[in-house]
Amino acid sequence: MKEQLALRHHEFGKADAVLRLESLPRPEPGAGEVGVRLLAATINPSDYGRMDGRYGLLPELPAVAGREGVGVIESLGAGVEGVECGQRVRFTDAGAWREQCCLPVESLLVVPEGVPTDQAAMAFINPPTSYCLLRQFVDLKAGDWIVQNAGNSAVGLAVIQMAKALGIHTVSAVRRAELIEPLKVLGADQVVLEGSGWERGVPDLTKGKGLRLALNSVGGTSAIAQLKALEEGATQVTFGGMTGEAVRFPTRYLIFNDLRLLGFWWDAYCRTAERGAVEAIMAAVFEMQANGSLCLPIAGKYSFSEYKEALAHHQSPRLGKILLTP
Ligand SMILES: NC(=O)c1ccc[n+]([C@@H]2O[C@H](COP(=O)([O-])OP(=O)(O)OC[C@H]3O[C@@H](n4cnc5c(N)ncnc54)[C@H](OP(=O)(O)O)[C@@H]3O)[C@@H](O)[C@H]2O)c1
């Protein structure tokens, strides 16, 4: 039987402790399926949540890790029509850190020509989240200002680039001064340092305009600083909790400033959105990737056998995603 390499865990725990490089049977496409070879997969914070058992939706064990990647169709099962070998598609989200998978033809998300393969590998979770965060909570107009933390994250960088294309201005908070210039080069209007008291200088940052929307993927004191900075009636959307700290409930800002605190989860959106909505968002993401207005940096590429180095790089200060390329 043909084999393939995969990164798999048999229990929940810290990635470094539970992840193993294993040889698994290579699947052959059945009727109505296509066989897909991985080109590149992404490492995301949610992969760690799924491995250590903290994520909102957990896999059955043993589980191949990873949720995002792009592959190329290499074989067609009986009765498959409408796609051909050589086309690039989203790789399986149920364990993307493997070399081969089979997918039902009706589930395929085809990557249009013109989208660079590395960008396509990072297209399916963070950019559509950024798109939804900018479009679905506040009716933003060109000239409006928003604030976000983790400005150097993939979501943060996609927010910066998409907002720029929409004429919306961004204040992005980061933890390291060396990120300020690179983020400005990528299109950020203002980049501030966490813990610097930036929230007291909003009129200077925004030339007198208020902040209508805050995007929070950090939590803790970073989220509180955002709430202090927002204008009356503004909205904070929480979609991540990188610090892992408990969030203090900001009673006085809710009452006296009439703030709205909301949450967002792309996975849930994909399950509940109206027919065609996810496809329309992905089409918008692919178009921006193809025309270059959305281009996320890559900090490193590693083969499956170098996965320990890849995880270590992912957990160290960086600007850009880590890709696994078999
Ligand atoms: N709800 C959803 O649907 C959804 C979808 C996509 C992503 N997310 C969430 O969005 C966040 C960003 O994801 P991503 O893939 O864009 O991230 P990423 O590119 O891997 O970057 C990670 C970011 O988190 C920051 N960070 C790491 N540890 C931190 C800590 N202890 N305190 C403060 N900041 C910390 C990093 O800053 P440094 O460089 O300073 O370490 C960096 O800005 C994650 O929380 C992820 O789970 C949520």
Side-chain angles (χ1 to χ4, degrees):
M1 182 185 287
K2 287 185 186 162
E3 304 251 292
Q4 63 163 326
L5 290 175
L7 289 164
R8 197 159 76 143
H9 57 110
H10 293 250
E11 57 192 313
F12 293 114
K14 291 226 172 297
D16 317 336
V18 298
L19 204 59
R20 294 186 211 161
L21 181 62
E22 295 183 349
S23 198
L24 301 183
R26 180 175 161 168
E28 291 297 332
E33 290 185 336
V34 302
V36 183
R37 173 170 59 83
L38 181 71
L39 295 171
T42 315
I43 302 182
N44 286 310
S46 55
D47 297 324
Y48 288 82
R50 266 168 52 107
M51 278 185 271
D52 68 18
R54 284 179 300 119
Y55 199 60
L57 211 57
L58 294 176
E60 278 183 27
L61 297 175
V64 176
R67 304 199 309 139
E68 187 180 37
V70 65
V72 60
I73 299 177
E74 283 203 325
S75 51
L76 306 180
V80 168
E81 287 176 358
V83 292
E84 52 192 51
C85 290
Q87 276 185 305
R88 295 171 306 161
V89 294
R90 180 179 186 169
F91 202 66
T92 177
D93 59 359
W97 297 355
R98 71 178 85 201
E99 288 176 316
Q100 303 276 344
C101 74
C102 290
L103 292 168
V105 67
E106 68 276 5
S107 75
L108 293 179
L109 183 50
V110 175
V111 177
E113 282 183 29
V115 176
T117 295
D118 287 349
Q119 294 297 316
M122 305 181 280
F124 306 102
I125 297 178
N126 297 312
T129 296
S130 307
Y131 189 89
C132 290
L133 292 170
L134 284 171
R135 302 297 285 260
Q136 293 185 1
F137 292 91
V138 172
D139 183 18
L140 295 169
K141 306 266 188 306
D144 283 342
W145 282 81
I146 67 163
V147 61
Q148 63 171 345
N149 48 28
N152 62 311
S153 66
V155 173
L157 296 171
V159 162
I160 286 170
Q161 294 179 18
M162 289 178 185
K164 192 176 174 66
L166 294 167
I168 296 162
H169 301 297
T170 49
V171 177
S172 299
V174 295
R175 298 197 294 175
R176 290 175 281 128
E178 77 248 27
L179 292 166
I180 293 175
E181 275 318 303
L183 261 61
K184 288 193 171 169
V185 170
L186 288 166
D189 293 292
Q190 298 285 3
V191 185
V192 297
L193 272 181
E194 289 283 12
S196 62
W198 65 268
E199 65 276 15
R200 292 191 291 276
V202 171
D204 285 342
L205 289 169
T206 62
K207 300 177 186 71
K209 298 267 270 179
L211 291 167
R212 300 193 61 206
L213 173 68
L215 306 177
N216 166 42
S217 62
V218 172
T221 52
S222 173
I224 298 282
Q226 288 187 338
L227 293 169
K228 291 179 180 172
L230 287 176
E231 70 177 20
E232 196 173 327
T235 300
Q236 182 188 56
V237 185
T238 292
F239 61 99
M242 292 306 295
T243 58
E245 290 169 19
V247 175
R248 276 190 15 246
F249 192 72
T251 313
R252 67 173 290 119
Y253 294 98
L254 263 71
I255 298 172
F256 299 130
N257 292 5
D258 191 25
L259 298 183
R260 272 76 180 138
L261 305 190
L262 300 171
F264 178 77
W265 189 23
W266 171 242
D267 297 38
Y269 181 83
C270 290
R271 282 199 299 275
T272 56
E274 281 174 20
R275 202 180 156 81
V278 172
E279 290 76 5
I281 292 170
M282 286 313 305
V285 167
F286 287 141
E287 190 182 330
M288 288 183 270
Q289 289 183 320
N291 69 25
S293 55
L294 173 65
C295 184
L296 296 177
I298 294 163
K301 289 187 189 182
Y302 296 87
S303 67
F304 281 175
S305 59
E306 298 168 321
Y307 76 93
K308 288 185 179 157
E309 290 93 319
L311 295 179
H313 193 171
H314 183 267
Q315 288 166 84
S316 56
R318 64 192 152 79
L319 177 63
K321 278 287 173 201
I322 306 296
L323 298 186
L324 292 168
T325 52

